[in-house]
């Protein structure tokens, strides 16, 4: 993204605000928000911009809430991000993608895992997609529920065989259960597909 190459913070902020106003459904990397996190006024402007975008585009509620919550967390306002999800879910309780995204946001940050499980269970009940099983698998990993994690990752890979996050997560669970050969195979396959996957899971607080 072009604004990610801009060194001047004021110009970068203007670029991000332009994207939120004109192309709100375009994802913005966390590192961009984190690069602006020293400016409290930037948070106020970005939060207001996302509030307006979410109100103006109900068809994109799930994706916009997810990016806005990531922005909140990047600025040290993770509670605000979770509140966004709670408000949106209250208004759209049968939005499976929204429920999954709320689960994923908590699982990746290893917070409020009971609430994460409730949302993942709801998402899978509404729409049993492979990616939703992957999200719930991560919740199980964070809770140290290795067998349950493997079960969910098996379900995810049955639907999406190339899902390297599920293969890597399953490898972590297999490692903890002493399934060395299976773990070695899964971890190697995931690393072959994504050379930075270890770094991704370390960001979640997890490693084989």
């Amino acid at each position: 993204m072009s604004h990610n190459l801009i060194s001047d913070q004021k110009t970068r902020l203007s670029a991000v605000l332009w994207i939120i106003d004109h192309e709100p459904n375009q994802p913005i990397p966390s590192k961009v928000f984190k690069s602006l996190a020293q400016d409290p006024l930037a948070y106020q402007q970005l939060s207001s911009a996302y509030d307006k975008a979410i109100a103006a585009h109900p068809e994109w509620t799930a994706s916009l809430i997810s990016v806005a919550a990531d922005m909140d967390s990047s600025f040290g306002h993770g509670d605000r991000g979770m509140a966004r999800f709670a408000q949106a879910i209250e208004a759209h309780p049968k939005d499976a993608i929204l429920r999954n995204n709320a689960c994923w946001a908590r699982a990746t940050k290893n917070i409020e895992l009971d609430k994460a499980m409730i949302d993942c269970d709801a998402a899978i009940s509404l729409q049993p997609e492979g990616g939703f099983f992957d999200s719930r698998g991560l919740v199980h990993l964070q809770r140290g529920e290795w067998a349950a994690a493997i079960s969910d990752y098996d379900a995810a890979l049955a639907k999406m065989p190339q899902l390297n996050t599920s293969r890597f997560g399953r490898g972590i669970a297999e490692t903890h259960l002493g399934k060395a050969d299976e773990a070695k195979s899964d971890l190697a396959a995931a690393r072959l597909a994504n050379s930075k996957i270890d770094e991704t899971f370390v960001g979640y607080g997890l490693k084989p």
Side-chain angles (χ1 to χ4, degrees):
M1 296 174 67
S2 60
H3 63 271
N4 199 27
L5 305 176
I6 300 170
S7 59
D8 175 70
Q9 279 199 327
K10 185 175 181 180
T11 305
R12 189 185 306 122
L13 175 60
S14 295
V16 175
L17 290 170
W18 185 94
I19 288 173
I20 298 170
D21 186 42
H22 293 83
E23 301 176 15
N25 204 32
Q26 181 174 326
I28 297 174
S30 298
K31 60 184 177 181
V32 175
F33 294 130
K34 289 176 181 177
S35 73
L36 298 167
Q38 300 305 313
D39 182 358
L41 294 178
Y43 176 70
Q44 294 176 19
Q45 291 177 273
L46 290 167
S47 184
S48 177
Y50 272 116
D51 287 342
K52 291 177 182 177
I54 291 165
H57 298 281
E59 73 277 17
W60 294 337
T61 294
S63 58
L64 288 177
I65 291 285
S66 297
V67 181
D70 183 53
M71 181 273 298
D72 291 321
S73 179
S74 297
F75 278 83
H77 297 284
D79 289 350
R80 170 60 180 141
M82 294 304 103
R84 289 184 195 272
F85 276 118
Q87 291 165 5
I89 289 170
E90 185 175 358
H92 308 281
K94 295 188 180 299
D95 187 327
I97 296 174
L98 179 62
R99 300 299 291 260
N100 173 73
N101 290 1
C103 172
W104 181 253
R106 289 185 169 94
T108 55
K109 297 176 179 62
N110 195 17
I111 60 171
E112 299 180 337
L113 295 180
D114 289 344
K115 292 181 180 179
M117 187 64 73
I118 290 170
D119 282 324
C120 262
D121 286 345
I124 290 169
S125 177
L126 289 163
Q127 194 173 319
E129 292 192 358
F132 300 171
F133 284 103
D134 178 78
S135 296
R136 195 169 68 180
L138 183 60
V139 179
H140 285 305
L141 278 191
Q142 297 286 28
R143 289 163 59 143
E145 298 165 350
W146 314 123
I150 289 174
S151 179
D152 272 339
Y153 286 134
D154 285 346
L157 289 164
K159 294 174 178 291
M160 302 174 68
Q162 304 306 315
L163 195 56
N164 60 72
T165 52
S166 282
R167 198 165 296 279
F168 195 84
R170 188 170 68 179
I172 292 175
E174 289 164 341
T175 298
H176 282 278
L177 290 178
K179 298 181 177 182
D181 291 340
E182 294 94 328
K184 182 178 180 180
S185 176
D186 275 332
L187 294 171
R191 287 165 176 153
L192 182 63
N194 180 357
S195 62
K196 294 186 177 181
I197 197 162
D198 281 270
E199 179 182 336
T200 297
F201 273 76
V202 166
Y204 306 153
L206 294 164
K207 58 183 179 180

